[in-house]
Structures are given as C-alpha cells and as structure tokens.
C-alpha cells in the first residue's frame, strides 16, 4: 500500500490552519497570542488542539503511542473524516458490509462518495471473497464493524485478515462494542497492518454517550492526516477533563459491563419464551437482535407501553427484527413482562 496514493490530492497539498496554541508550546508568563479573555475562570483559554494529556492516558491503556490516536466528537467524526481524507467525491468509492452502522452510508452520501453494500452471510458471518469482489481500482475504503451493529456478532478474524492483506486501501474496523466481547482488539495488530484504522468510542461501555468522544487508532502517518483535516479545537476542555477523570474509574466500568453481560445471557434465555419471539441472534455486544412475529406492530405495542426499541425491519437480513439494548435489571424485567 502506498498511503499517499490513497489520500485526496487537495488534502495531500493542504497547509492546515495553524492555531495560536500550535505555534507556541511550553511554559510562558504572559499569553497574549489568542485574543482570549485573560481573566481566569478555568475555561477562558483555548484547549490543547491535540489533547495530549488525555491521549497519554488512553495510550497507556491501549498499548499504543499517543501519536497513533485521534479523538473526535464521537466516532462519527472520524467516520466523516475518513471520507474527507481518502475519498475524492464522485470518483472513489467505499465498500461496506450490510447490515451495518448507518453512519458509514450517510457520510458517504454527504461526501458524494459511492457506497457499495455487500451482504453478510445469512448468519451474519463475513465472506471476505464476496466483499473483495465488490472492490475495484477506485475503492479506497472498506468498512467493517466487529462486533457488528445491528447483528451483534463478531466478524471472523481470519476473514478480516484476508481483507487486510489483499486489499491495498484503507480497512476500518469499528470496535464500538469491543468492551462487551471476549475477542482481542485489532488495535494490537496496527503495527502489522499499515492500512488499518480501528474505531472505538466512550459512548457505549464507558457510559459517556452524552459527552461525545470517540477514538481512531492507526499508524502515526494516517493520524497526521486526521490532525490536518479536523477542526483545530474539536474536543472541548470540559470533555477532555471529564473523560480523563472517568478513565480512572475502570473498575466501575468493568463491573457495569459484567452486569450487562449477565443480563444479556438472561435475556437470551428468557426472550424466546415469549410467543412473539421467533429467534434471538447470538451477541458479542450490549444488545440483542431479536426476530419477532411482526416487528412494526410489536414496536408500536411496546412504544405504547413506554418501551422504546429499535426496529431494524427493512434492513438487509433483518426482516421483522427489533434491536434491543440490554438495560438495567429493572428495565429488562419490565421489557420481558410486556413482551
Ligand atoms: C454507537 C456506534 C458508534 C457511534 O459512536 P459515537 O462515538 O457515539 O459517535 C460508532 N459505530 C458503531 C458501530 C456504533 O454502534
């Protein structure tokens, strides 16, 4: 893979905005470079554009260098940036598994990039050969998601490896649900695959969907392009501080994940006892894809009782399926009772 040949020419040539905080690094007595209000209130100064303190903490946890991390406004930000860096509108295309996370396709449309969906097998497993058959010389990005949303299953490692080794473009593995699975993260394989980008997020297991902070992990060279294209101050100081503090509470996160996994096993066993339920798909995530007798009608009946599920009816391979997040033990009991 020649990375430079995958980058849009305008991005390759881009002189990024150089902000005040980029130009001077170090200790100083007087900061009169950024037109801020000088009176201290904790937030009157612009934040670190590269979020180094937070990245150092994340880097230790994940076993990578801080320069291999990009932080975004949710992982939705790096998803959009991947198109803006690697896909020339109306020229390059992206290939993705289907069903999968909707934002890959929405961001392709926003960026005017052709989005080629390749169906998974009927048990939601990945067939690398079939996916690769959709690739042509204009394909710059392949989207994989493991554990996959909305199916919940991990994708087979060997099939992903086939794609990483035989495709000359960028391969994204979205690991938003990695904390709920027993599988090793693809972050540990970054040194072996220079074309790999791994996405993770603080929105799911870490319990911080409200603060909007996602992560992209890749080679230092790929991350340098993210840094060129992103907004200079894309992660505000409140978020940097809050995430940093929550990262010290690993035990709390682990114990909540433990409860969610136990509840998942319980729901997996109990849901099929309802005569409305046809099948509960196996899950490596914090949700279950449940095939029911009539998804639109069950969705409406549950909504009437104040229970909101996610209908995936009309999505590839998901006819009559509802996606149900594992809630608190109390929430799960209410759902079971009503269903
Ligand atoms: C929820 C989800 C995300 C979005 O994460 P944010 O960090 O909240 O933007 C990304 N990918 C998948 C597959 C998801 O399910």
């Amino acid at each position: 893979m020649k990375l430079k040949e995958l980058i849009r020419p305008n991005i390759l040539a881009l002189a990024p905005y150089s902000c005040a905080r980029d130009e001077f690094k170090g200790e100083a007595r007087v900061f009169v470079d950024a037109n801020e209000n000088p009176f201290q209130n904790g937030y009157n100064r612009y934040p670190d554009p590269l979020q180094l303190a937070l990245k150092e903490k994340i880097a230790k946890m994940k076993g990578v260098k801080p320069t291999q991390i990009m932080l975004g406004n949710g992982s939705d930000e790096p998803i959009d940036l991947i198109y803006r860096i690697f896909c020339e509108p109306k020229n390059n295309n992206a290939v993705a598994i289907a069903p999968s996370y909707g934002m890959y396709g929405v961001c392709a449309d926003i960026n005017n990039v052709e989005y080629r969906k390749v169906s998974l097998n009927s048990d939601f497993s990945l067939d690398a050969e079939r996916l690769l058959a959709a690739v042509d010389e204009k394909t710059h990005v392949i989207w994989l998601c493991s554990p996959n949303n909305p199916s919940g299953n991990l994708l087979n490692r060997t099939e992903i490896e086939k794609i990483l080794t035989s495709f000359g473009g960028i391969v994204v593995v979205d690991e938003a649900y990695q904390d709920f699975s027993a599988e090793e993260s693809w972050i540990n394989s970054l040194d072996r695959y220079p074309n790999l980008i791994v996405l993770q997020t603080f929105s799911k297991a870490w319990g911080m969907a409200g603060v909007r902070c996602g992560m992209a992990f890749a080679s230092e060279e790929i991350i340098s392009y993210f840094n060129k294209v992103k907004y200079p101050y894309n992660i505000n100081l409140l978020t940097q501080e809050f995430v940093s503090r929550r990262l010290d509470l690993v035990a709390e996160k682990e114990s909540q994940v433990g409860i969610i996994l136990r509840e998942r096993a319980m729901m997996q066993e109990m849901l099929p006892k309802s005569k409305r339920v046809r099948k509960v798909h196996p899950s490596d995530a914090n949700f279950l894809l449940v095939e029911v007798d009539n998804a639109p009608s069950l969705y409406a009946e549950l909504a009437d009782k104040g229970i909101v599920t996610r209908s995936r009816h009309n999505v590839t391979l998901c006819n009559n399926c509802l996606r149900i997040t594992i809630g608190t033990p109390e929430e799960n009991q209410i759902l079971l009772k009503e269903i």
Side-chain angles (χ1 to χ4, degrees):
M1 177 198 68
K2 294 224 173 58
L3 187 67
K4 287 196 166 51
E5 289 171 14
L6 295 172
I7 309 260
R8 288 173 62 189
N10 62 312
I11 301 301
L12 210 51
L14 177 71
Y17 176 71
S18 175
C19 59
R21 287 298 113 85
D22 278 330
E23 288 180 3
F24 179 84
K25 291 211 168 69
E27 298 295 309
R29 283 196 298 161
V30 175
F31 279 104
V32 287
D33 57 345
N35 299 345
E36 297 145 331
N37 180 326
F39 299 102
Q40 298 297 336
N41 63 21
Y43 297 92
N44 57 308
R45 298 294 181 188
Y46 281 101
D48 175 4
L50 292 175
Q51 312 99 22
L52 217 56
L54 177 54
K55 280 181 185 167
E56 267 162 16
K57 231 165 165 170
I58 297 170
K60 275 211 191 80
M61 222 161 95
K62 304 287 180 183
V64 297
K65 292 186 246 173
T67 44
Q68 290 183 283
I69 306 172
M70 181 266 173
L71 298 179
N73 186 339
S75 23
D76 290 345
E77 181 179 355
I79 290 169
D80 182 54
L81 288 181
I82 285 166
Y83 287 110
R84 293 168 62 195
I85 295 166
F86 297 106
C87 296
E88 188 65 27
K90 295 166 124 181
N91 180 20
N92 295 124
N93 66 71
V95 169
I97 56 168
S100 197
Y101 185 49
M103 282 302 283
Y104 314 143
V106 171
C107 289
D109 289 344
I110 291 170
N111 287 286
N112 212 356
V113 169
E114 185 197 346
Y115 185 72
R116 300 181 175 178
K117 291 197 227 181
V118 180
S119 174
L120 293 166
N121 298 321
S122 59
D123 64 353
F124 299 113
S125 60
L126 172 63
D127 180 341
E129 297 293 322
R130 183 138 47 91
L131 193 85
L132 289 166
V135 166
D136 63 20
E137 72 285 357
K138 296 287 189 188
T139 307
H140 276 196
V141 176
I142 290 181
W143 294 98
L144 303 174
C145 181
S146 180
N148 188 35
N149 178 4
S151 52
N153 59 307
L154 281 161
L155 302 181
N156 182 287
R157 264 198 116 73
T158 323
E159 294 299 297
I160 295 182
E161 251 151 25
K162 277 188 209 164
I163 293 166
L164 280 163
T165 47
S166 56
F167 175 58
I170 297 293
V171 178
V172 184
V173 179
D174 187 341
E175 292 188 335
Y177 300 97
Q178 212 273 332
D179 303 82
F180 301 104
S181 85
E183 182 90 340
E184 184 187 349
S185 169
W186 282 94
I187 289 178
N188 300 337
S189 305
L190 283 174
D191 291 342
R192 246 181 308 146
Y193 302 110
N195 56 338
L196 172 62
I197 299 177
V198 180
L199 301 182
Q200 291 191 357
T201 178
F202 291 112
S203 296
K204 310 284 158 68
W206 279 98
M208 291 187 266
V211 310
R212 310 305 301 128
C213 192
M215 299 162 269
F217 300 89
S219 70
E220 288 183 300
E221 194 182 359
I222 290 178
I223 294 300
S224 73
Y225 289 103
F226 277 105
N227 290 340
K228 252 176 124 173
V229 176
K230 74 176 187 67
Y231 289 167
Y233 303 110
N234 63 325
I235 307 291
N236 68 69
L237 183 55
L238 288 161
T239 296
Q240 293 184 42
E241 290 174 343
F242 186 82
V243 173
S244 183
R245 267 187 281 126
R246 296 286 308 177
L247 281 178
D248 295 335
L249 308 177
V250 186
E252 180 180 303
K253 171 220 155 203
E254 293 299 330
S255 109
Q256 290 173 350
V257 167
I259 296 169
I260 290 166
L261 294 185
R262 252 189 291 135
E263 288 288 305
R264 183 179 80 193
M266 181 279 296
M267 294 292 274
Q268 198 113 40
E269 187 189 324
M270 297 305 285
L271 279 168
K273 296 186 197 294
S274 160
K275 57 182 187 307
R276 307 295 300 272
V277 171
R278 299 248 192 278
K279 178 172 188 169
V280 180
H281 291 277
S283 172
D284 302 289
N286 66 334
F287 57 84
L288 294 169
L289 187 69
V290 182
E291 189 185 325
V292 300
D293 54 354
N294 183 330
S297 117
L298 183 57
Y299 174 88
E301 290 170 56
L302 288 171
D304 270 349
K305 293 171 174 159
I307 299 170
V308 193
T309 60
R310 181 90 159 139
S311 175
R312 297 288 77 187
H313 190 54
N314 293 332
V315 169
T316 314
L317 302 175
C318 297
N319 251 343
N320 278 319
C321 285
L322 298 180
R323 193 192 67 194
I324 300 179
T325 309
I326 306 302
T328 62
E330 295 71 29
E331 287 177 310
N332 300 333
Q333 287 310 317
I334 294 170
L335 174 83
L336 282 175
K337 186 165 162 277
E338 297 297 351
I339 211 168

